[in-house]
Amino acid sequence: MKKIIILITILALAACKSDSKNEQLDLKNASWQQIETEALGKTVNMMMWAGDPKINDYMKNYVAPAVKEKYDIDLEISSGQGNTIVQLLMTEMQAGKDGNVDMMWINGETFYQLRQINGLHGPFVDQLPNSQFVDLDNPFIGKDFQEPIEGMEAPWGNVQMTLIYDSEKTDQLPQSREELLAFAKANPNKFTFDNQFTGLTFMKALLIDIAGGEQALAGDFNEKKYGKYSKALWAYLRELKPYLWKKGETFPEDVAQMHQLFASGELLMTMSNNDAEVDNKINEGLFPESARAYVPEFGTIQNSHYLGIAKNAVDKAAAMAVINFMISPEAQLKKQNPEVWGDGTVLDLDKLPGDFKTKFQNIPARKYAPKRSEIQKNALQELAPEYMIRLAEDFRKEIING
Amino acid sequence: MKKVLQILFALSIVFPIGFLVVLSLGRNWPYPVVLPKSLSLENWSFLQQSDSELWQTFLLSLLISIIVATATTALAFVTSKQLAQSKYRNKLMLLAYIPYVLSPVILAATLQYYFIYASLSGSVAGVLLAQVFIAYPFAVIILNNFWNHKIKSMEELSRTLGSSSWQTFKKVLIPVSKNALLLCFFQTFLISWFEFGLTNLIGVGSVQTLTVKVFSYVNEANIFYAALASCLLIVPPMILIWLNKKYIFATETVI
Amino acid sequence: MIKKLSIAIFILIAAVPVLLGLGYALMYSLGLTGILSEGFTTTHWEETLITTTFWKSLGFSLYIALVVMLISLFFSLWIVISWIKQLNKGSLSYITYLPLAFPAIVMAFFSFQLLSKSGFMSRVVYKMGWIDSLEQFPDWTNDEFGISIIFSLCLLITPFFIILYSNLYQNERIAELKALAITLGAKPSQVIFKVIVPILLKKSAFTIMLFVIFIMGTYEIPLLLGRQNPSMLSVFIVQKLQKFNLADIPQAYAIAVIYILLIASIIALVYKTRPTFFNSSSSS
């Protein structure tokens, strides 16, 4: 009986705990100094894709200690992305409760869905002192999946997708859809793409190519165009399917698994949304030194990733302080180093104070990935979010279950 | 022939343990090398730092499992005795079997809303409660069989001899049920220790138990750390099982 | 007083959560709750019931459960009947218990590292010169027959049954029955197939059924070793809940409702036909 009472007491205490933390500050009109003061000593829960050891290491061993020192903030990271975040937030809002997650790493389609359910706090970006350095005029940064970010999420990194291959095993790089098909036919079971963000981004590039290139699908979602070109895409993928890894009956669940398959030689190619990935995976010892990355002539998507704050976040001020640090020149500099993560900066180098511009220019060059300036010409802009949501859904129907 | 087969059988059981230990010591394992190229204690060495993350995870898991096992065993011991004497015993047991076989992760998915509503999700308290929901029916089922006529007559005898119900409980029931209680403790400990899906959903990934950790290492394709965390996961159960086997009658086993 | 309180606590912890969960899932699947809901509708149920993926998932789960059960029963009976003496004493009796220390997630990780194309087995076979490249190694992970799923589950479950049967063997005095049957002139094979196996199976029928249900709901192993289609029930539900289109969430709950009701009705059915299963000390 005593045990029960203790248990019930513990649970009751736990239940009351979070209700006492009510927001006092009027955040939207607060000065940055007030926000910083409010942020001191709080705990921030961040939800992010945690499928890459280098990224996890950067967050846990660089960002977390830094905000701890600066603001005494405990940054706690949990794993989750896309719909997991949206579903959690939806359930929390339905229950009318404070969030378990304060801030999250998001991309276009999640941004779109979160705005649909009105799940984001903001606009807040302009309040961050470091936002003055962000290159918002760059359409690859200031727009997320064709949507202006309007201060509702802070740009964090900018990357372009590359295909990764082993230069000792492959010398004829497929540059077009036809060549890719021929490549898969010549090397059955050796090519695939993952079932998540990376694979979908790859399919979007194919869709743009089918539709006739860069500008063909620009602007708002167009049902008619989608219907027409996606049909061609499924026809193409169905032709490709029997030559894919495991005959295209299943796909790697995550890009990390695809890297593993490439490293062991089970695949001839892997791909990455981060153009510097090949360098950091060689440094890590996962990929052979003969691994290289390239962008096929039909182009690949260049996009940015962002940081958002949940509308029901408990410590929004603290989340803002953390985000402000994450877009600071020093944190961005560290992040862009291929030894660390190699994630492209979202800052406009000409705006940076002091000698940061030189520092950015002196980041040890990546050895194995192509130069950013070289692949920029084949960079495609992201499509409206509905394209990705529909592709994900139809990919499952047409290809996985088909 | 029989001997050879038995040795093979034993090897097949010991092999996974050895394999995981070797992987946990490894670095650099390109195909087609059979064993990792470098083997060292490097992966393990960071466990020595008392503030290392994996060490904290280990302690957190241990704490959660001990609390769940203690609470459910104690609660089930008291309640199952009453249930066993109830005229609805069979019907009540029927109710216990549903959560017993129900997939914990599905139960968690249907309960997520309530946990969020009660501000329990993402907290250790929430994970504890959710684990009690699945461990308690298990404990009741284990202990249900223990309350038979023999125990009942011992209890009655003790009463006839003039002891109070508390004395009977303490001096008679607890000692005779020591083995059943230990078994129940072990079983519920293991349920909690092994649980992944429910813990991950209710804990929203921020209550990092060892299983959650193994999964996240597997997810980032970090096989050596995944192996290391796996080793940490199988050590405590092995100790428990060894104790169980050594000190408790072999006949009282799982299910 | 204590009795009523105990029953209340029992119902509160064991039955109420299941009922609450079932209620929420039912409401959600009928469009009665959830941020995106637009009022009562049966479309989610219709969609769930007509899509083949759900039925495939259910069928695949049942297939895995039955195959695992058959293999595990075969090995556990065989091992217990032929090695009963060694299982009760000596090192074998200890070793048999070791697999119980393996959580499903570790077993899944182990199986993947052992059986995948670039796994340990493939490397050994390559070294022996049986294959020239890893592509020649068979597809055992993320494969269409769920081979590595079955492998992992058998490793987890066979030891349970070995222990169960070696205990039943003693409790049911099978050694004596065996001696008796031999005296009466039965052949060794007759003793095994007409006496020992039927007794053990009959005594464990309820446990076997529980395990079949239990395997159907297993999560971690198919999560790591399975493929996207068909996927086992738990994986299917969680993915519909968290990974797929947001409009699919009600369907995830509809499947959860079906799953919970299925389990409840199987157990209720057993209760109706064999109430003793719920009240015997013989189920050890």
Side-chain angles (χ1 to χ4, degrees):
Chain A
M1 198 56 212
K2 212 164 132 198
K3 290 257 161 60
I4 310 167
I5 295 168
I6 294 171
L7 188 74
I8 292 171
T9 322
I10 293 174
L11 296 175
L13 281 176
C16 306
K17 189 193 69 189
S18 56
D19 289 349
S20 55
K21 284 196 250 168
N22 276 329
E23 207 86 39
Q24 301 290 329
L25 192 67
D26 173 18
L27 265 186
K28 295 209 170 150
N29 298 309
S31 71
W32 181 248
Q33 209 178 5
Q34 286 172 308
I35 292 172
E36 274 188 318
T37 317
E38 175 73 23
L40 293 178
K42 297 280 164 56
T43 299
V44 172
N45 289 302
M46 174 174 181
M47 191 171 254
M48 58 179 256
W49 173 66
D52 187 289
K54 288 244 166 184
I55 299 175
N56 296 344
D57 188 60
Y58 171 75
M59 290 304 300
K60 278 180 200 151
N61 299 324
Y62 174 73
V63 176
V67 295
K68 178 77 188 167
E69 202 191 309
K70 232 172 136 120
Y71 301 111
D72 192 26
I73 288 175
D74 287 306
L75 181 64
E76 287 180 356
I77 290 164
S78 53
S79 162
Q81 56 171 334
N83 282 357
T84 310
I85 296 176
V86 185
Q87 187 262 344
L88 178 67
L89 229 69
M90 273 167 58
T91 316
E92 286 170 357
M93 289 167 70
Q94 185 192 343
K97 283 288 164 170
D98 287 343
N100 284 294
V101 173
D102 297 296
M103 56 183 280
M104 51 261 168
W105 171 2
I106 49 182
N107 287 77
E109 94 285 12
T110 313
F111 180 56
Y112 169 78
Q113 289 171 333
L114 288 176
R115 291 197 77 176
Q116 272 194 321
I117 61 164
N118 199 11
L120 283 174
H121 164 75
F124 71 92
V125 178
D126 287 344
Q127 285 174 290
L128 310 178
N130 286 326
S131 69
Q132 57 174 310
F133 308 126
V134 177
D135 189 7
L136 286 171
D137 298 331
N138 182 340
F140 287 101
I141 293 172
K143 278 188 178 177
D144 187 9
F145 283 42
Q146 309 271 344
E147 248 185 312
I149 59 174
E150 289 171 343
M152 301 296 286
E153 56 175 359
W156 185 30
N158 175 272
V159 286
Q160 184 170 347
M161 171 176 270
T162 55
L163 302 185
I164 296 169
Y165 63 99
D166 186 338
S167 57
E168 276 180 7
K169 293 183 184 162
T170 311
D171 41 12
Q172 288 281 16
L173 300 174
Q175 299 290 355
S176 64
R177 264 180 293 138
E178 293 70 35
E179 286 177 26
L180 184 66
L181 185 61
F183 174 81
K185 280 186 181 168
N187 304 287
N189 282 316
K190 295 282 212 173
F191 179 79
T192 191
F193 40 89
D194 83 337
N195 182 35
Q196 289 193 19
F197 194 80
T198 310
L200 287 164
T201 310
F202 177 67
M203 277 189 267
K204 269 192 273 186
L206 292 174
L207 187 73
I208 294 172
D209 187 42
I210 289 170
E214 242 220 280
Q215 288 305 312
L217 296 174
D220 288 345
F221 178 72
N222 181 320
E223 180 73 51
K224 225 170 152 184
K225 283 187 187 169
Y226 174 78
K228 185 170 157 198
Y229 299 125
S230 68
K231 207 177 252 173
L233 176 66
W234 306 133
Y236 175 74
L237 289 180
R238 264 194 286 269
E239 207 180 333
L240 194 62
K241 188 174 170 171
Y243 309 103
L244 294 178
W245 178 72
K246 308 243 177 204
K247 299 195 179 76
E249 280 164 3
T250 194
F251 292 81
E253 209 27 77
D254 196 87
V255 71
Q257 196 194 343
M258 198 160 60
H259 289 339
Q260 200 70 34
L261 293 169
F262 172 73
S264 65
E266 206 172 328
L267 290 177
L268 278 179
M269 271 194 199
T270 180
M271 47 186 77
S272 172
N273 265 312
N274 172 7
D275 38 292
E277 176 106 60
V278 63
D279 277 72
N280 79 40
K281 285 288 176 289
I282 291 176
N283 292 338
E284 223 173 272
L286 181 64
F287 290 176
E289 284 203 20
S290 47
R292 296 288 181 275
Y294 85 109
V295 170
E297 269 157 26
F298 59 78
T300 55
I301 298 232
Q302 184 187 132
N303 62 18
S304 295
H305 34 272
Y306 300 83
L307 299 163
I309 298 176
K311 185 149 215 161
N312 61 356
V314 180
D315 292 312
K316 297 190 181 83
M320 284 170 77
V322 173
I323 294 176
N324 187 52
F325 174 75
M326 288 165 80
I327 60 170
S328 69
E330 46 172 321
Q332 291 270 316
L333 181 72
K334 178 91 178 173
K335 181 163 68 82
Q336 191 165 335
N337 190 327
E339 301 260 328
V340 177
W341 171 356
D343 191 28
T345 185
V346 291
L347 304 182
D348 180 347
L349 298 191
D350 292 326
K351 290 185 189 164
L352 296 184
D355 54 353
F356 266 113
K357 184 171 179 177
T358 343
K359 283 188 185 159
F360 267 97
Q361 282 162 341
N362 288 336
I363 290 176
R366 30 205 220 187
K367 284 191 238 156
Y368 312 100
K371 281 211 179 68
R372 199 63 193 272
S373 50
E374 283 168 22
I375 59 176
Q376 179 73 39
K377 65 177 190 312
N378 288 326
L380 304 169
Q381 268 198 50
E382 273 289 2
L383 302 176
E386 292 94 329
Y387 283 107
M388 177 145 167
I389 293 164
R390 292 288 291 275
L391 278 181
E393 180 72 6
D394 292 340
F395 175 61
R396 206 170 302 118
K397 280 190 199 138
E398 302 280 339
I399 306 297
I400 295 184
N401 302 340
Chain B
M1 186 59 200
K2 199 165 168 180
K3 202 79 208 164
V4 175
L5 279 177
Q6 281 173 3
I7 290 170
L8 273 179
F9 172 72
L11 275 179
S12 74
I13 289 173
V14 178
F15 173 75
I17 302 166
F19 183 69
L20 288 173
V21 170
V22 169
L23 271 191
S24 77
L25 296 170
R27 287 271 162 98
N28 197 359
W29 196 37
Y31 197 85
V33 184
V34 174
L35 291 176
K37 276 185 179 166
S38 60
L39 291 174
S40 70
L41 283 170
E42 211 177 325
N43 297 343
W44 282 83
S45 65
F46 75 108
L47 270 182
Q48 291 172 338
Q49 309 150 5
S50 56
D51 61 340
S52 91
E53 215 182 316
L54 209 52
W55 186 236
Q56 286 174 3
T57 306
F58 180 81
L59 292 178
L60 176 71
S61 296
L62 204 59
L63 186 72
I64 289 178
S65 300
I66 288 174
I67 294 178
V68 169
T70 313
T72 44
T73 305
L75 200 57
F77 184 67
V78 178
T79 52
S80 67
K81 178 169 179 288
Q82 306 297 327
L83 295 175
Q85 290 164 3
S86 158
K87 58 183 172 194
Y88 304 114
R89 175 175 180 163
N90 289 3
K91 285 207 173 79
L92 290 169
M93 281 304 118
L94 175 71
L95 287 179
Y97 273 102
I98 296 172
Y100 177 83
V101 289
L102 192 66
S103 166
V105 70
I106 296 178
L107 183 66
T110 61
L111 289 176
Q112 194 192 21
Y113 171 81
Y114 300 100
F115 275 83
I116 287 174
Y117 189 77
S119 301
L120 281 169
S121 76
S123 70
V124 174
V127 169
L128 284 174
L129 183 66
Q131 291 194 349
V132 166
F133 286 166
I134 54 167
Y136 174 76
F138 210 102
V140 170
I141 288 170
I142 293 178
L143 293 178
N144 179 48
N145 293 323
F146 169 74
W147 302 110
N148 50 27
H149 291 293
K150 218 163 88 192
I151 303 282
K152 181 127 181 138
S153 36
M154 278 168 92
E155 198 185 346
E156 272 159 11
L157 183 67
S158 163
R159 294 278 190 87
T160 327
L161 295 173
S163 10
S164 71
S165 51
W166 171 243
Q167 280 173 319
T168 309
F169 188 75
K170 203 175 150 190
K171 295 269 158 81
V172 179
L173 290 183
I174 299 238
V176 295
S177 52
K178 206 180 81 200
N179 285 340
L181 280 175
L182 273 174
L183 179 75
C184 183
F185 180 87
F186 291 163
Q187 287 299 318
T188 46
F189 178 91
L190 288 185
I191 289 173
S192 161
W193 185 255
F194 288 176
E195 184 46 52
F196 165 71
L198 169 125
T199 308
N200 195 37
L201 241 149
I202 298 297
V204 201
S206 49
V207 180
Q208 299 252 331
T209 60
L210 263 177
T211 48
V212 173
K213 210 77 198 167
V214 170
F215 187 74
S216 65
Y217 285 137
V218 169
N219 226 358
E220 59 175 46
N222 199 340
I223 52 172
F224 307 116
Y225 277 19
L228 172 58
S230 297
C231 288
L232 291 180
L233 255 175
I234 54 180
V235 169
M238 277 194 184
I239 296 171
L240 278 186
I241 285 162
W242 186 76
L243 288 174
N244 183 359
K245 174 77 183 132
K246 192 149 173 99
Y247 296 108
I248 302 183
F249 303 140
T251 47
E252 282 176 291
T253 43
V254 248
I255 305 284
Chain C
M1 179 56 204
I2 289 186
K3 190 173 204 165
K4 278 194 178 142
L5 188 67
S6 293
I7 293 177
I9 290 174
F10 169 79
I11 289 178
L12 193 68
I13 306 181
V16 169
V18 177
L19 280 177
L20 282 177
L22 186 66
Y24 180 75
L26 193 63
M27 300 254 292
Y28 212 116
S29 66
L30 290 170
L32 294 172
T33 187
I35 279 213
L36 299 176
S37 87
E38 290 164 350
F40 178 81
T41 169
T42 53
T43 43
H44 305 305
W45 276 90
E46 287 160 24
E47 275 166 25
T48 306
L49 294 173
I50 55 166
T51 47
T52 50
T53 42
F54 162 65
W55 295 106
K56 266 166 110 177
S57 172
L58 189 67
F60 186 64
S61 305
L62 188 64
Y63 149 80
I64 294 279
L66 293 178
V67 172
V68 168
M69 216 54 245
L70 274 177
I71 298 176
S72 299
L73 284 179
F74 173 78
F75 279 105
S76 52
L77 284 170
W78 183 48
I79 286 171
V80 168
I81 290 170
S82 42
W83 303 345
I84 184 68
K85 282 205 192 85
Q86 289 82 353
L87 285 172
N88 287 329
K89 270 200 282 293
S91 52
L92 209 56
S93 70
Y94 277 81
I95 287 173
T96 320
Y97 280 78
L98 286 182
L100 303 184
F102 274 73
I105 196 160
V106 172
M107 200 55 101
F109 170 70
F110 163 74
S111 300
F112 189 86
Q113 295 306 329
L114 184 72
L115 298 178
S116 75
K117 283 203 181 216
S118 56
F120 183 76
M121 289 275 265
S122 164
R123 292 161 193 256
V124 169
V125 176
Y126 182 94
K127 270 278 137 61
M128 294 168 102
W130 294 357
I131 55 172
D132 307 321
S133 69
L134 61 96
E135 291 86 69
Q136 291 166 336
F137 193 77
D139 238 356
W140 284 342
T141 50
N142 313 104
D143 63 305
E144 86 191 280
F145 302 108
I147 290 175
S148 54
I149 299 178
I150 293 171
F151 175 80
S152 310
L153 284 166
C154 287
L155 286 185
L156 280 178
I157 284 164
T158 313
F160 271 95
F161 279 90
I162 293 179
I163 294 164
L164 177 69
Y165 286 144
S166 56
N167 290 335
L168 278 179
Y169 203 98
Q170 286 173 316
N171 294 347
E172 301 297 322
R173 299 164 183 259
I174 287 183
E176 290 161 40
L177 286 173
K178 189 177 157 188
L180 182 69
I182 290 173
T183 344
L184 293 175
K187 279 182 272 174
S189 68
Q190 278 178 322
V191 177
I192 290 173
F193 294 108
K194 296 261 159 80
V195 182
I196 304 179
V197 172
I199 294 178
L200 291 178
L201 284 180
K202 197 161 170 252
K203 281 285 163 191
S204 60
F206 184 52
T207 309
I208 292 172
M209 194 210 64
L210 287 181
F211 266 83
V212 168
I213 303 178
F214 165 79
I215 298 169
M216 285 182 73
T218 179
Y219 178 62
E220 293 94 328
I221 288 176
L223 182 69
L224 292 180
L225 299 171
R227 47 169 55 196
Q228 284 109 14
N229 175 42
S231 51
M232 286 180 75
L233 275 172
S234 296
V235 178
F236 190 58
I237 292 176
V238 173
Q239 302 224 320
K240 262 205 174 311
L241 196 66
Q242 294 196 325
K243 293 254 168 75
F244 296 5
N245 192 338
L246 293 176
D248 277 1
I249 295 177
Q251 284 187 41
Y253 283 118
I255 300 168
V257 170
I258 299 174
Y259 168 76
I260 296 174
L261 290 180
L262 192 72
I263 287 178
S265 32
I266 295 175
I267 290 177
L269 195 73
V270 176
Y271 175 75
K272 279 263 182 267
T273 48
R274 313 282 286 276
T276 46
F277 277 137
F278 294 88
N279 185 23
S280 72
S281 23
S282 66
S283 68
S284 131

